[in-house]
Amino acid sequence: MKYLQFSNNDRIPMLGLGTWKSAKGEIYQTVRKAIEIGYRHFDCALIYGNEHEIGQAISDAINNKEVTRNELWITSKLWNNRHKKVDIQPTIEITLDSLKLEYLDLYLIHWPVALLNSVNYPKDGSEMIDLKHIPLVETWQGMIALKENNLTKHIGVSNFSIKKINELINETGVCPEALQLELHPFLQQNKIVDFANANNIILTGFCPLGSSDRPINRITAGEPKLFENKSIIDIAQEKGNTPAQIMLAWAINRGTSVIPKSVNPQRLKENIEAADIELTPLEMEKINQLDQHYRYIKGDFWCLEGSGYTLENLWDEV
C-alpha cells in the first residue's frame, strides 16, 4: 500500500473503502472481509446510517487480533444539521460511540451547507440555514476544539472550494489538513488539486468510478459514463487490468487518496490491488486529456428555493 503523510508524520493509506450507500446487514461482513484482504482505511459518516455496524466489525476484528487500532485509519464526517459550535462535540461523540473508538483519525465537515437540527435532508428552503447565520468559521472553530480535545487526530473539510478554505485559514489561522471532493477522469479539478498540494492539504477523491449506484434522483439522463470511455478501456486491456483498476491507479499515481465503495469480495480485492499499479507518463497523459469538468454529485439538491444556496455560491465557480 502507498501512503500520504501528514505534517506530524501520520500516514493515510492511499486506497480505502467508501461506505456511502452500503446497506445495513451487509456492511458488517464487507468491513470484516476488507480487513482480511488488507484494507486499513475506512471512510464513514454519521449520515450514512451504518456506523454502528461498521464499529462492530472493527471491534470484532481488533478483538480477534486481525488488526490493531493503530493500523487503522478511520474517517468520519459532521453532518449539515450540526454546524453550530455547541453541537459539534456531542455529534462526534455519537460517531465514536457507534464506531466503538476513542478517537478518529480524521473528521471532516461534510458539506458547506447548514440545516435545522431536526432536518437531515431538507424538503424546501425553510429547513435550511443561511451561512450568514451559522458561518463556516464557527463550525471550523468547533472542529479545531475537537482536535485540541484529542477526539480526532486530524480535521478537514469535504466539498469545499478554494475560496471557502481560504476564508477558514484567514479567520482562524488553521488550515484544513484534508479535503475530500469528487475526483475522477471526467472531473479532475486541477486548480483545487494544485491549491491543496501547495498548502499541504491531503486530498481524497470520492466517486472515483462515477458512482453509478447513487440515488436515482442524482442521476442525469445521458450523462457520460467512465466505464464506456475508450481510452480507459484500451489502457486496461493493454495492461491486463480492469477499467476500474485503471481509474483508481490514475488517482493514486496522481498523488491523491481514493475511497471506492464495494460490497463484492472480488471487487474489493481488485480495487485494493489497483494501489500497486504503475501507469506510464503516456498512460497518465491519455487519462489527463479526458477531463470534462463533469460532476456526478452536482449539489443541486441543496439549491432549494428560498434557501440562499445556489450552484454558484456552493462551488464558487465562475
Side-chain angles (χ1 to χ4, degrees):
M1 179 56 64
K2 298 180 177 71
Y3 296 84
L4 295 172
Q5 190 163 298
F6 285 81
S7 59
N8 71 340
N9 297 324
D10 283 351
R11 301 191 309 162
I12 178 172
M14 290 185 75
L15 192 139
L17 180 66
T19 62
W20 180 41
K21 309 179 301 297
S22 293
K24 293 178 182 178
E26 67 179 7
I27 189 62
Y28 174 88
Q29 290 299 338
T30 298
V31 171
R32 291 298 300 275
K33 185 64 178 180
I35 289 172
E36 177 189 325
I37 291 170
Y39 282 80
R40 297 295 181 262
H41 173 184
F42 295 89
D43 183 81
C44 313
L46 180 63
I47 194 64
Y48 299 165
N50 54 16
E51 286 191 328
H52 182 79
E53 202 169 333
I54 293 168
Q56 190 62 56
I58 290 170
S59 177
D60 289 350
I62 291 173
N63 290 337
N64 287 347
K65 303 190 184 310
E66 297 164 21
V67 70
T68 67
R69 172 64 183 96
N70 289 340
E71 291 175 310
L72 294 172
W73 184 278
I74 311 297
T75 297
S76 190
K77 309 177 195 81
L78 177 79
W79 191 237
N80 309 349
N81 59 1
R82 292 293 183 268
H83 273 211
K84 288 182 181 177
K85 193 172 181 180
V86 68
D87 292 329
I88 295 174
Q89 182 163 327
T91 303
I92 195 175
E93 287 172 349
I94 293 170
T95 278
L96 290 171
D97 182 65
S98 295
L99 291 173
K100 303 183 185 300
L101 300 174
E102 293 183 356
Y103 67 89
L104 293 175
D105 296 282
L106 176 62
Y107 198 50
L108 306 174
I109 302 175
H110 207 145
W111 283 90
V113 172
L115 306 176
L116 297 176
N117 279 140
S118 59
V119 174
N120 282 335
Y121 294 100
K123 299 184 186 68
D124 55 56
S126 69
E127 298 182 326
M128 306 184 73
I129 301 174
D130 195 290
L131 294 179
K132 295 173 186 173
H133 302 299
I134 308 180
L136 292 173
V137 67
E138 175 185 335
T139 310
W140 187 237
Q141 287 167 339
M143 298 287 284
I144 294 168
L146 297 182
K147 185 177 176 183
E148 292 171 345
N149 292 333
N150 299 315
L151 295 172
T152 182
K153 288 190 171 185
H154 303 277
I155 53 174
V157 295
S158 177
N159 298 299
F160 273 53
S161 65
I162 293 173
K163 178 182 177 182
K164 290 182 175 69
I165 293 172
N166 274 329
E167 288 171 356
L168 299 183
I169 297 170
N170 294 338
E171 291 283 342
T172 67
V174 178
C175 180
E177 299 173 88
L179 169 63
Q180 191 172 121
L181 68 169
E182 182 178 341
L183 289 175
H184 47 73
F186 289 169
L187 184 68
Q188 300 187 17
Q189 305 219 59
N190 291 312
K191 186 176 179 182
I192 199 164
V193 169
D194 290 344
F195 169 82
N197 290 336
N199 287 276
N200 297 314
I201 299 171
I202 299 288
L203 282 172
T204 297
F206 66 77
C207 296
L209 307 177
S211 190
S212 59
D213 64 341
R214 66 195 187 280
I216 190 69
N217 64 346
R218 299 189 189 181
I219 295 177
T220 303
E223 65 186 15
K225 292 180 171 53
L226 285 160
F227 282 92
E228 295 178 4
N229 182 267
K230 186 177 186 305
S231 294
I232 293 171
I233 292 171
D234 287 349
I235 293 170
Q237 290 176 342
E238 289 167 8
K239 296 183 79 71
N241 298 119
T242 68
Q245 287 178 315
I246 295 304
M247 286 184 266
L248 298 174
W250 170 81
I252 290 169
N253 279 249
R254 195 183 186 210
T256 60
S257 65
V258 67
I259 46 172
K261 174 256 179 182
S262 180
V263 295
N264 179 295
Q266 180 60 30
R267 296 268 168 76
L268 286 171
K269 184 173 182 293
E270 290 173 356
N271 288 350
I272 200 169
E273 288 172 350
D276 295 323
I277 297 171
E278 296 291 340
L279 298 180
T280 67
L282 180 58
E283 289 164 342
M284 287 295 291
E285 182 55 32
K286 285 181 179 178
I287 299 174
N288 291 343
Q289 293 174 3
L290 302 180
D291 196 4
Q292 299 183 27
H293 310 289
Y294 188 84
R295 289 185 189 278
Y296 289 107
I297 307 298
K298 294 177 174 57
D300 50 354
F301 39 86
W302 302 128
C303 304
L304 303 178
E305 186 175 350
S307 70
Y309 292 91
T310 65
L311 286 178
E312 289 73 24
N313 66 31
L314 178 65
W315 302 118
D316 297 312
E317 295 176 347
V318 178

